[in-house]
Amino acid sequence: MDCLPAALERAGNEESWAVADAISTVLKNSEELHSWRRHLLSACIKGLVAMYSSSKDESKQEVERSMLLKLEELLCVVEEVDPDDWCSLVKTGLKYRYRDETFLRVLNAAIQLLYKKESSLSQ
């Protein structure tokens, strides 16, 4: 279970995300769930950054789209993100995907969520 977040950072690893979702379901009523989701969020962001950096064209749109939807889902429940991860995602995403509608929609939703008054990033 400890190695899974690192495996999730690699692009196109849908099977690992299915395992991660299963683990999240098992941890549903446990104290470890929030920590687990934070690890998943970080892995998702790092995976997107790696994907954007290595594939400057938009050849893996479906994989990126599913990762962006996963990012949005995780952000809604975790509501916090490592500032370094966030900075990398915004910088790399805007550099390579500034025309991608899904990226921009998820980025907008994330900004609304992360920069609300109580958020650690808004301070």
Side-chain angles (χ1 to χ4, degrees):
M1 188 166 115
D2 294 334
C3 299
L4 188 57
L8 294 171
E9 293 175 20
R10 286 182 244 126
N13 212 340
E14 293 86 17
E15 297 84 15
S16 294
W17 279 104
V19 172
D21 289 341
I23 292 172
S24 295
T25 303
V26 169
L27 294 175
K28 191 171 187 173
N29 295 320
S30 115
E31 297 171 8
E32 298 174 18
L33 182 60
H34 188 71
S35 174
W36 172 248
R37 285 180 172 161
R38 282 194 5 244
H39 288 297
L40 293 180
L41 178 60
S42 179
C44 186
I45 290 173
K46 289 175 182 172
L48 282 165
V49 168
M51 217 180 309
Y52 294 158
S53 297
S54 68
S55 177
K56 294 168 179 47
D57 62 345
E58 298 177 25
S59 61
K60 297 181 179 180
Q61 281 186 325
E62 274 310 305
V63 175
E64 287 180 15
R65 187 179 187 303
S66 68
M67 292 280 288
L68 284 165
L69 296 176
K70 178 63 70 179
L71 172 68
E72 187 174 30
E73 175 188 322
L74 288 167
L75 277 171
C76 288
V77 292
V78 175
E79 295 186 344
E80 61 183 293
V81 65
D82 178 74
D84 292 334
D85 289 347
W86 175 246
C87 182
S88 293
L89 176 68
V90 172
K91 183 179 176 181
T92 309
L94 288 173
K95 183 174 182 179
Y96 298 114
R97 298 297 187 269
Y98 64 93
R99 292 183 182 178
D100 182 271
E101 183 179 330
T102 306
F103 170 76
L104 293 173
R105 184 185 54 74
V106 171
L107 179 64
N108 184 44
I111 288 170
Q112 299 301 316
L113 182 70
L114 294 172
Y115 289 92
K116 65 184 179 185
K117 200 173 205 172
E118 309 85 42
S119 172
S120 61
L121 286 179
S122 65
Q123 298 173 356

